[in-house]
Amino acid sequence: MTPFKAYHAHIQTRVAAALEAALPVVQGEDDTLFQAMRYAVLGGGKRLRALLVYATGQLFDVPEVALDDLAVSVELIHAYSLIHDDLPAMDDDALRRGQPTCHVKYGEATAILAGDALQALAFERLCAATQFTPEQRVNMVQLLSTAIGAEGMCGGQMLDLKATGQRLTADQLAHMHELKTGYLIQASILLGALASTALSAEDKAHLSEFGRLIGMAFQVQDDILDVEIETHALGKTQGADAARGKATYPSVLGMSEAKTLVGDVLSKALGALKHVTQFKTDAHLWHAAHFMVQRQF
Ligand code: GRG
């Protein structure tokens, strides 16, 4: 096992334990909302956003224990977004992380509430992270809420819904994905950095650019995998984007150009990361960036 694979496995275990502790405890059969929240969050996943929090924090020598609340917050937001994205009113998907989606298992109304409650819990965790100063916490809440609101993830989801069945240019596609998936990825990186009091404005700008680019490369690769990888390996329905008439990088650019784009954008992202004062070539963040675009699931 490579050092990065071991680190990723360690982060998956660590954040799973922190998520388990943060989620409400099921007391009885009637706690359907709690059950649905736990089902959606604890059912696996690559934990990429948590990985980015810890790996960025590590660049600034922030101890892992101080980063747990931040990693939990971004994974709770991610889980909420997946629940809502899978709903019949949105992408209407039946499979997520190799399991029935939350609404298939618990019904639509419960799934909506579980997503809402996970979003609220994410912000509750940030506010309760007393290892940070009140000013740091306000900055974190502002960063995350902006990343997922009307001019972030929700806005991107709206653009995505409107674009279904439409022809998009590569720029329109990039803009939609920057909002829909990119900002949360960028926010995960910046939260890890904001955990340090040593973060300079210049390094914050370099990390923002790195986050923007690595979020884009991640999405292009996601579109490629949607075409190339079978459902059982992907854990979600293969070809779902094409079946819904969604514009994707392979459909807009062609597969070969989409693959070239992944490499080009990764190189630019790494270029931005190298400008960060604390950067080292053996940093986990460097390897995490490669993993995000070279993964096959
Ligand atoms: C419903 C407000 C609202 C937003 C939904 C993030 C999102 C917006 C929708 C997700 C749809 C989707 C599958 C987008 C492709 C990129 C992506 C976010 C993939 C899933 O993330 P991974 O690969 O998932 O990190 P795991 O399961 O590993 O956590």
Side-chain angles (χ1 to χ4, degrees), residues 44-49 75 78 80-82 84-85 90-91 96-97 148 153-154 157 180-181 218-219 222 236 295 297:
K46 294 178 287 299
R47 308 300 191 198
L48 283 178
R49 293 147 193 84
E75 286 296 331
H78 176 54
Y80 132 66
S81 78
L82 296 181
H84 282 199
D85 185 65
M90 302 243 185
D91 274 4
R96 172 69 62 187
R97 294 173 170 168
I148 68 167
M153 186 173 76
C154 286
Q157 183 76 351
K180 191 178 113 170
T181 50
F218 168 82
Q219 184 62 56
D222 204 75
K236 57 185 180 179
R295 69 201 164 91
F297 59 98

Side-chain angles (χ1 to χ4, degrees), residues 151-166:
E151 294 182 33
M153 186 173 76
C154 286
Q157 183 76 351
M158 193 73 226
L159 291 177
D160 189 6
L161 293 172
K162 278 191 181 162
T164 304
Q166 307 286 316

Side-chain angles (χ1 to χ4, degrees), residues 40-58:
V41 173
L42 299 176
K46 294 178 287 299
R47 308 300 191 198
L48 283 178
R49 293 147 193 84
L51 177 70
L52 292 172
V53 169
Y54 287 111
T56 308
Q58 193 221 19

Side-chain angles (χ1 to χ4, degrees), residues 70-93:
L70 310 183
V72 163
S73 293
V74 295
E75 286 296 331
L76 292 175
I77 294 291
H78 176 54
Y80 132 66
S81 78
L82 296 181
I83 297 176
H84 282 199
D85 185 65
D86 289 332
L87 287 168
M90 302 243 185
D91 274 4
D92 194 11
D93 225 314

Side-chain angles (χ1 to χ4, degrees), residues 99-283:
Q99 301 290 329
T101 43
C102 193
H103 68 273
V104 168
K105 175 111 176 146
Y106 290 99
E108 221 176 307
T110 303
I112 292 170
L113 290 174
D116 292 342
L118 290 174
Q119 182 180 179
L121 183 59
F123 286 104
E124 194 271 327
R125 294 312 303 171
L126 278 188
C127 294
T130 51
Q131 64 273 34
F132 304 118
T133 64
E135 189 184 348
Q136 276 176 303
R137 277 179 275 160
V138 168
N139 287 339
M140 289 169 176
V141 168
Q142 187 172 30
L143 173 77
L144 190 57
S145 52
T146 305
I148 68 167
E151 294 182 33
M153 186 173 76
C154 286
Q157 183 76 351
M158 193 73 226
L159 291 177
D160 189 6
L161 293 172
K162 278 191 181 162
T164 304
Q166 307 286 316
R167 291 175 75 89
L168 293 187
T169 64
D171 283 349
Q172 287 171 322
L173 190 61
H175 176 61
M176 178 189 82
H177 285 310
E178 181 170 24
L179 272 63
K180 191 178 113 170
T181 50
Y183 282 175
L184 182 58
I185 286 173
Q186 187 186 49
S188 304
I189 292 163
L190 291 175
L191 282 174
L194 286 174
S196 166
T197 46
L199 179 67
S200 68
E202 290 75 23
D203 286 335
K204 189 176 174 194
H206 293 314
L207 283 169
S208 290
E209 180 65 355
F210 166 67
R212 187 182 75 75
L213 291 163
I214 204 64
M216 179 176 177
F218 168 82
Q219 184 62 56
V220 183
Q221 177 68 3
D222 204 75
D223 283 0
I224 292 169
L225 294 177
D226 189 65
V227 177
E228 293 196 334
I229 305 292
E230 288 178 10
T231 298
H232 70 92
L234 209 52
K236 57 185 180 179
T237 315
Q238 183 194 20
D241 289 340
R244 283 183 208 107
K246 292 208 175 195
T248 65
Y249 283 98
S251 72
V252 170
L253 300 176
M255 183 55 89
S256 163
E257 215 177 304
K259 287 184 176 176
T260 305
L261 183 64
V262 174
D264 290 350
V265 181
L266 172 64
S267 297
K268 285 187 190 153
L270 295 174
L273 181 57
K274 280 185 193 164
H275 283 109
V276 176
T277 313
Q278 289 80 357
F279 171 73
K280 307 167 205 78
T281 40
D282 62 346

